[in-house]
Structure formats: structure tokens, C-alpha cells
């Protein structure tokens, strides 16, 4: 069995113009002081990390690794969620998602998509130079507005959406393969890959590509009321990354899974700081250890109530307490009989 590494933390929720999260060195130092052993770095803010420069320059990549190591943390992975989102955007979301791209691309969806695809390819090359072997992203979405089947979807609509999604992602997956990096989709509402069935549909559409893998985050399954433990049983061979994020689901007579357009505080399903929600992380860490997952346990802090610094400090301790040191032998080895085939036949009464 593999041993899960950690605790680590995703930095994207902490990016700020103010110390201690105003620069990568400062953020890494603060996280190390909070008890973290690794950081996951987003690729959407050149002030923190320049993905194009890292793709082209081994010197710069080494400098970034050096910044992390000097602070006392490892660089666990890069994450390109916002770029992945822009690979596929339904026109209904164009105005909202333009904010994820440079101003010169606003109002030009085709150019925005090409830019996002290029950013993902650069991230594959940067990952190789940094010596990391997994990368996090979103799939984007073309079919999401039609998630609920009313009005009735036209025949072939979803098939065409996933075929187009695969056409856009297959060349990106090939670049990740050339660079020896697994591309891990965070399976997430708002993306066409939002549960097990949609991941399977996409995996089939890209021909079972070996670099098409999963970033497992149980909080998104809690909010959908999906069995997040069985999910590990079904897809453990494709789970290459792990976000540790808590959530709760408390439906009442007013709201349920769909949320009633309420803000986060008033929804039945809410993201919470680690330990404040309803997810059974002891069972999750046990299952992942059982299946030999040896990647990083990365805290993704999102909470509608708690201050982020408090959540980060508590999260490091929470993850450290849940990591399992795998057993090196069976607990009942002391009672082993040491028998051989002949003895086994005799025990079974087969040689009488």
C-alpha cells in the first residue's frame, strides 16, 4: 500500500495584494509555518507564477522550486482550473467567463479558447521542468445548461457536446502525455465532467486516453448527494490527485440540491472548513490508502463562515491526523502456521 503525502494546500484561495499572501515566497513561508509540507500553485496569476516562462526556462523552473524548498514546502502540482474552464464555454456564460482571460480577448470566444488551450499546453511543459507528474484542471462545459432534462433535450445533443469536448481536449492530453504528466480533471458541477457517468462518457470520447484522470474532491459529491466512497471503488485507478475539502448538506422544505438561487450561507449544500462539515474523511483516507494512492492530500479551503487563515491552520492539523501509515504486514502474522502445500493437503484431509 502507498502512503498519502501531506498535508499540502492549494494557494488559489489565498492570493492577495496584502502580506502574507502577496508573493509566492511569503505565501510558502506562511503555509510552512502553519504546518504544511507542500503547496499546489495556480497558473492563472503571472505575479505568483509565470507558466509561459516556466515552460521555456529550466532556470526559472528551478528558481520556483527553490523558493518553495527554501520556505520549507514542496511544490506538489500546478493547477489550471480557470484555463481549463475556457477550453469549452457555452455562449450563455461568455460574458461571465471573459473575466478569466486577458482583456484583449474579451468578446472573442474563439480566440479565448485558443489562448486557453495554449496555456494548458504550456502548463504540461512547465510541469515537466518542475518535476511534477500530475496537473489539475477543469473540463469546461458545453452541455451544462441542459443538465436538467427540461425542456426535453434534442436527440444527439449531449453526444455532440462530448464529441466536441473530446476534440478540443485530445490534443492537450497528447501534449501532457509527451511531457509525462497526468491531466486530472476536478469533477465539479458547472463542468461537463461533474460525476462518474459524465467522466466515463468523456473517457470513452477520448479513447480511454491514459493521461485522462481524476482530481478527487468529495465536497462536490456531497452537494450532489452522490456516494463519494463508492466513487473511489469505481474510479480509483484514475484518481491521481486529491483535494481535501469538507461540505454539508442540510435540506429543508425550502431548498435542496439545486439551492434556490440562494447565496452560499443560505443553501442546503455548503462548503465548510475541514472538520466542520459532514464528510467522512476517515473512511476516505482509508479507502485511498487501501487502493495504494500515494499522491498529495491537498487542502482546498472554501468556507462560507470561517476566516481563511483559521481554516488553513486547522486544515493542516486535520490532514496530518488523517494520513495513515500503511501496515508493513498483517496484524495476525504472529499466529501464522508456516505450513506448505503438503501440510495444507493434510489439514484438508486430502491425503488420507
Amino acid at each position: 500500500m502507498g502512503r498519502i503525502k501531506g498535508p499540502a494546500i492549494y494557494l488559489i484561495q489565498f492570493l492577495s495584494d496584502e502580506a502574507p499572501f502577496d508573493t509566492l515566497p511569503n505565501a510558502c513561508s506562511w503555509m510552512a509555518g502553519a504546518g504544511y509540507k507542500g503547496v499546489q500553485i495556480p497558473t492563472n496569476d503571472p505575479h505568483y507564477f509565470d507558466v509561459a516562462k516556466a515552460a521555456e526556462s529550466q532556470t526559472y523552473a528551478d528558481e520556483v522550486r527553490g523558493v518553495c524548498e527554501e520556505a520549507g514546502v514542496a511544490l506538489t502540482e500546478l493547477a489550471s482550473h480557470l484555463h481549463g474552464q475556457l477550453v469549452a464555454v457555452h455562449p450563455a456564460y461568455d460574458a461571465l467567463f471573459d473575466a478569466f482571460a486577458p482583456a484583449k480577448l474579451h468578446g472573442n470566444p474563439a480566440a479565448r479558447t485558443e489562448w486557453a488551450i495554449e496555456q494548458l499546453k504550456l502548463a504540461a511543459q512547465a510541469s515537466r521542468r518542475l518535476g511534477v507528474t500530475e496537473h489539475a484542471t477543469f473540463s469546461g462545459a458545453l452541455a451544462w445548461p441542459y443538465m436538467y432534462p427540461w425542456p426535453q433535450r434534442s436527440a444527439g445533443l449531449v453526444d455532440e457536446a462530448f464529441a466536441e469536448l473530446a476534440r478540443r481536449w485530445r490534443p492537450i492530453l497528447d501534449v501532457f502525455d509527451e511531457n509525462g504528466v497526468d491531466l486530472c480533471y476536478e469533477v465539479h458541477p458547472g463542468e461537463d465532467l461533474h460525476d462518474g457517468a459524465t467522466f466515463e462518457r468523456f473517457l470513452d470520447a477520448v479513447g480511454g486516453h491514459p493521461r485522462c484522470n481524476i482530481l478527487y474532491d468529495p465536497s462536490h459529491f456531497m452537494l450532489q448527494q452522490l456516494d463519494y466512497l463508492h466513487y473511489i471503488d469505481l474510479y480509483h485507478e484514475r484518481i491521481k490527485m486529491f483535494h481535501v475539502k469538507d461540505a454539508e448538506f442540510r435540506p429543508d422544505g425550502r431548498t435542496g440540491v439545486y439551492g434556490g438561487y440562494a447565496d452560499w450561507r443560505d443553501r442546503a449544500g455548503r462548503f465548510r472548513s475541514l472538520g466542520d462539515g459532514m464528510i467522512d474523511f476517515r473512511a476516505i483516507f482509508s479507502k485511498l490508502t487501501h487502493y495504494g494512492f500515494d499522491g498529495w492530500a491537498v487542502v482546498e479551503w472554501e468556507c462560507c463562515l470561517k476566516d481563511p487563515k483559521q481554516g488553513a491552520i486547522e486544515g493542516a492539523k486535520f490532514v496530518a491526523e488523517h494520513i495513515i501509515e500503511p501496515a508493513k504486514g498483517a496484524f495476525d502474522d504472529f499466529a501464522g502456521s508456516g505450513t506448505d502445500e503438503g501440510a495444507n493437503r493434510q489439514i484438508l484431509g486430502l491425503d488420507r
Side-chain angles (χ1 to χ4, degrees):
M1 292 187 290
R3 183 185 187 279
I4 298 172
K5 296 187 284 290
I9 191 164
Y10 188 20
L11 292 179
I12 195 166
Q13 281 84 9
F14 297 88
L15 303 185
S16 172
D17 293 331
E18 298 180 2
F21 305 123
D22 53 338
T23 67
L24 182 61
N26 286 348
C28 288
S29 295
W30 192 92
M31 292 303 181
Y36 288 98
K37 297 181 179 179
V39 293
Q40 188 176 96
I41 298 178
T43 63
N44 58 290
D45 187 345
H47 175 66
Y48 255 66
F49 172 77
D50 189 327
V51 66
K53 192 172 180 180
E56 299 168 359
S57 170
Q58 188 62 51
T59 299
Y60 175 73
D62 291 342
E63 289 173 356
V64 171
R65 285 181 61 90
V67 165
C68 296
E69 292 168 1
E70 185 175 350
V73 292
L75 195 168
T76 65
E77 304 100 357
L78 299 179
S80 297
H81 289 83
L82 302 191
H83 297 142
Q85 183 76 68
L86 298 183
V87 169
V89 176
H90 187 278
Y93 298 99
D94 271 338
L96 294 172
F97 285 145
D98 262 353
F100 293 174
K104 65 181 180 180
L105 300 176
H106 293 183
N108 189 340
R112 185 187 61 203
T113 297
E114 290 305 312
W115 174 82
I117 289 172
E118 179 61 23
Q119 295 303 300
L120 265 296
K121 292 178 178 179
L122 291 172
Q125 297 162 11
S127 294
R128 174 179 54 80
R129 290 194 182 278
L130 290 162
V132 295
T133 53
E134 291 80 32
H135 184 82
T137 194
F138 280 152
S139 68
L142 298 172
W144 181 253
Y146 314 103
M147 181 271 296
Y148 193 81
W150 180 259
Q152 189 180 62
R153 293 186 289 260
S154 59
L157 178 71
V158 175
D159 290 337
E160 181 57 31
F162 274 82
E164 177 60 26
L165 199 67
R167 282 191 286 269
R168 297 185 188 189
W169 276 106
R170 183 60 189 258
I172 303 171
L173 286 162
D174 288 343
V175 172
F176 273 86
D177 193 32
E178 292 165 7
N179 285 276
V181 179
D182 286 319
L183 186 56
C184 303
Y185 295 96
E186 183 167 355
V187 179
H188 185 294
E191 313 303 317
D192 280 342
L193 277 63
H194 59 270
D195 59 12
T198 50
F199 176 77
E200 290 177 13
R201 186 189 285 265
F202 180 72
L203 185 62
D204 287 344
V206 294
H209 201 292
R211 297 298 179 178
C212 178
N213 290 291
I214 294 170
L215 188 167
Y216 175 75
D217 183 336
S219 68
H220 304 303
F221 301 150
M222 167 66 76
L223 269 55
Q224 296 181 68
Q225 290 296 279
L226 182 152
D227 187 337
Y228 54 82
L229 295 177
H230 189 213
Y231 194 96
I232 299 173
D233 293 326
L234 293 173
Y235 305 112
H236 59 90
E237 292 181 353
R238 292 278 176 172
I239 294 173
K240 305 292 185 181
M241 292 180 67
F242 175 25
H243 270 179
V244 192
K245 188 169 72 174
D246 212 342
E248 62 185 357
F249 184 69
R250 303 182 188 278
D252 57 23
R254 297 181 66 247
T255 64
V257 170
Y258 298 110
Y261 296 112
D263 64 25
W264 278 111
R265 288 193 178 197
D266 297 326
R267 295 174 68 91
R270 310 190 299 181
F271 297 130
R272 298 300 308 278
S273 279
L274 286 174
D276 294 343
M278 300 169 65
I279 292 175
D280 186 352
F281 282 104
R282 292 199 181 279
I284 289 173
F285 275 80
S286 294
K287 273 194 180 287
L288 289 175
T289 300
H290 171 79
Y291 287 117
F293 178 79
D294 60 359
W296 286 89
V298 180
V299 172
E300 184 182 20
W301 178 86
E302 290 183 353
C303 183
C304 59
L305 298 176
K306 186 168 286 185
D307 178 80
K309 287 184 180 179
Q310 181 184 359
I313 292 169
E314 293 174 352
K317 182 179 179 181
F318 184 94
V319 171
E321 291 176 347
H322 280 74
I323 290 176
I324 296 170
E325 189 67 44
K328 295 179 173 59
F331 65 87
D332 57 354
D333 279 349
F334 71 93
S337 63
T339 55
D340 57 21
E341 182 178 354
N344 286 338
R345 293 186 61 81
Q346 183 178 11
I347 291 168
L348 292 169
L350 301 177
D351 291 333
R352 290 182 179 180

